[in-house]
Each structure stands twice: as C-alpha cells, then as structure tokens.
C-alpha cells in the first residue's frame, strides 16, 4: 500500500480545533482495494495530553468501512490501523469519502478535506517532479551532454522547483490561517526539519500570521523551541569563532 509523502507528519496531526458551540455530524464511507486491510479494525485517533485517543472505529468488511458521530468542533485527526498511521483527515459536518488503494489515499466530500487532499496531491506531484531530475540527468549524460553543463542546468531547475514548492506550501498556510488546515499543514512542514528552527519560509509565514494562528498550542510550542534552538546555535557560533580567533593568535 502506498504511503503519502506527508505521512512523516502524522505525529504532528494533533487536536487542531476550530472552536464552536454547535455539534457537527460526520459520516465516513470508506472503500479499500488493499486486500490486507480486510477484516482489520481502523481507528480515528487524535493526540490529547501526549496520548493517542480513539474517537471512532470500524472494521473493514469486503473492502468497505464506515463511521459516523458528532463532534463539537472541526478537528484534524489520523486514520490508524493498529499502531500504524495511514492518513490525515478532517472531522467536519458532512459525508466524507475515503479511498485507500495501492496508488491512492484520499478523503474527500467536504470542504476542508477537499482542500487538504488537493494540497497533498499537488505537493506530492511536485516532489515526483523533483525526483525526476536525477533520471533526467542520466538521460542527458547518455545522450552525450557535457556533465558540467548538465549539473548547472539541473541545479537551476531544482532551485526553481524547490522555490515553487515552498511558495505553494507557504501560500496554502497563509490562506488557511484561521481554520484547522493552517496549523495542520504548518506542522507537516515543520516536521521535515531535523529539529525546531526558524527558517526564512517560517519567518515569512509568521510575519503576517493573525493572533489565532500564533496562539495555536502546537504552533506556539514549535516557535518557542525554534527560538531557543536559534539562540543555542548563535551561542555555539560565537564560541566557535572565539576558539578559532584564540587558536590563530597562538
């Protein structure tokens, strides 16, 4: 079964809530063509106080599963099989259609799920395009192109694609500052970093972010750790420069 390129973000798909006083009725209708899922239990989980909490569950019978219930607030959750996170989705009012196959993972049918999976599909397509550059290099070299020229051309193409992808992610977060998608995708993006740190892309996002986004518990926690790490890096840099200066004097 395929795994989304964004699946490494699943631990970060925490309880991202759009507060509201009225309940929402969700209905999930799932279809799986992956035979290994038949007879398995699937769970909707969210992370609360450091623990994964099950919100709903369903058995896959002949490739079909369903769940329905009420939620007080729109929230981003994760679909699990046992302890394995399969995919993120938004619990919101309406009918959510989930498709699980060897070539596709999608949750559509409601406004925010449609937006989330349009984002994921486009971002994955960009990553595939980035991956194609290596094969393109091999083809160009086999066709007799100069290796240095090839490297120079592909480096420019890679830089252009990387900027396009970063801008797409940034713009999506900015467009969704005030709903669950903004913080959710922000954490997806931040989880690609080796540790919390401020990058030019994150600084751009925070520059225009409204208070509701900045005060999100998980955004706030990331920013706090990132700023601490930036201070540590600066201190390490100063110590290294001081040590190099002392060594040169001797």
């Amino acid at each position: 079964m395929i795994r989304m390129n964004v699946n490494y973000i699943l631990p970060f798909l925490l309880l991202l809530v759009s507060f509201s006083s009225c309940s929402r009725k969700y209905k999930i209708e799932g279809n799986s063509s992956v035979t290994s899922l038949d007879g398995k239990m699937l769970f909707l989980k969210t992370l609360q106080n450091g623990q994964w909490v099950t919100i709903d569950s369903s058995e896959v019978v002949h490739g079909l599963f369903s769940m329905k219930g009420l939620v007080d607030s729109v929230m981003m959750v994760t679909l699990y099989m046992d302890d394995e996170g399969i995919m993120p989705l938004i619990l919101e009012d309406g009918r959510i259609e989930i498709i699980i196959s060897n070539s596709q993972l999608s949750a559509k049918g409601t406004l925010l799920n449609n937006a989330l999976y349009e984002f994921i599909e486009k971002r994955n397509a960009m990553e595939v395009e980035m991956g194609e550059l290596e094969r393109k290099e091999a083809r160009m070299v086999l066709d007799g192109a100069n290796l240095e020229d090839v490297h120079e051309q592909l480096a420019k193409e890679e830089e252009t694609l990387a900027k396009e992808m970063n801008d797409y992610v940034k713009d999506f977060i900015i467009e969704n500052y005030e709903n669950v998608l903004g913080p959710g995708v922000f954490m997806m993006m931040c989880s690609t970093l080796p540790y919390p740190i401020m990058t030019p892309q994150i600084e751009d996002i925070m520059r225009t972010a409204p208070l509701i986004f900045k005060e999100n518990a998980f955004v706030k926690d990331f920013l706090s750790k990132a700023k601490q790490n930036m201070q540590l890096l600066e201190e390490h840099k100063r110590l290294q420069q001081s040590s190099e200066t002392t060594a040169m004097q001797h």
Side-chain angles (χ1 to χ4, degrees):
M1 185 168 60
I2 65 163
R3 284 290 176 267
M4 251 179 254
N5 290 339
V6 294
N7 262 5
Y8 48 72
I9 53 86
L10 289 173
F12 296 92
L13 292 181
L14 311 176
L15 182 58
L16 299 166
V17 175
S18 173
F19 291 103
S20 174
S21 58
C22 55
S23 293
R24 289 165 172 79
K25 187 183 292 185
Y26 68 87
K27 183 176 183 182
I28 294 173
E29 294 182 356
N31 190 320
S32 167
S33 61
V34 180
T35 54
S36 60
L37 283 183
D38 237 39
K40 299 285 188 180
M41 291 294 296
L42 298 181
F43 303 88
L44 288 181
K45 295 185 180 183
T46 190
L47 195 62
Q48 295 180 357
N49 300 320
Q51 298 291 322
W52 284 104
V53 177
T54 298
I55 295 171
D56 208 339
S57 62
S58 175
E59 183 180 2
V60 181
V61 179
H62 302 305
L64 302 175
F65 60 95
S66 63
M67 304 179 204
K68 61 181 179 180
L70 295 173
V71 285
D72 292 333
S73 319
V74 175
M75 67 174 73
M76 186 176 271
V77 296
T78 302
L79 183 68
Y80 268 80
M81 181 185 73
D82 299 324
D83 293 325
E84 181 182 12
I86 297 175
M87 60 191 289
L89 66 143
I90 312 295
L91 275 192
E92 60 180 327
D93 197 36
R95 180 172 170 267
I96 304 162
E97 299 173 29
I98 294 179
I99 295 175
I100 301 174
S101 73
N102 288 319
S103 61
Q104 182 183 11
L105 289 169
S106 72
K108 296 183 178 178
T110 59
L111 186 65
L112 294 180
N113 281 301
N114 290 346
L116 175 62
Y117 276 85
E118 182 182 338
F119 165 79
I120 288 171
E121 286 163 12
K122 185 169 179 179
R123 187 183 178 282
N124 284 351
M126 289 176 174
E127 288 193 340
V128 168
E129 198 174 350
M130 292 271 282
E132 284 292 326
L133 291 179
E134 274 190 34
R135 285 183 281 276
K136 185 176 180 179
E137 178 183 16
R139 287 195 300 270
M140 291 172 74
V141 171
L142 286 172
D143 289 341
N146 180 274
L147 190 58
E148 285 187 13
D149 293 341
V150 170
H151 281 165
E152 185 179 350
Q153 179 186 331
L154 294 185
K156 288 178 182 176
E157 288 185 28
E158 184 176 9
E159 186 179 346
T160 299
L161 285 172
K163 184 180 185 308
E164 184 184 344
M165 185 161 67
N166 286 341
D167 286 348
Y168 177 61
V169 173
K170 181 183 74 175
D171 291 345
F172 184 85
I173 292 169
I174 289 171
E175 287 167 13
N176 293 280
Y177 270 149
E178 299 190 17
N179 64 58
V180 296
L181 293 178
V185 172
F186 179 79
M187 295 315 298
M188 291 182 191
M189 179 191 73
C190 293
S191 68
T192 65
L193 301 170
Y195 49 83
I197 192 171
M198 297 301 290
T199 66
Q201 187 184 23
I202 291 172
E203 287 172 353
D204 276 351
I205 290 166
M206 299 312 301
R207 193 169 291 120
T208 55
L211 190 61
I212 189 173
F213 182 86
K214 291 178 179 177
E215 289 298 314
N216 176 279
F218 308 107
V219 174
K220 198 172 181 177
D221 182 59
F222 175 86
L223 292 175
S224 173
K225 289 175 180 173
K227 287 171 183 174
Q228 288 173 16
N229 287 336
M230 294 298 286
Q231 289 173 353
L232 289 172
L233 287 170
E234 283 298 316
E235 181 62 26
H236 177 73
K237 188 177 177 182
R238 282 196 298 270
L239 289 171
Q240 194 172 32
Q241 288 174 341
S242 175
S243 176
E244 288 172 358
T245 302
T246 302
M248 287 174 67
Q249 289 172 348
H250 290 81

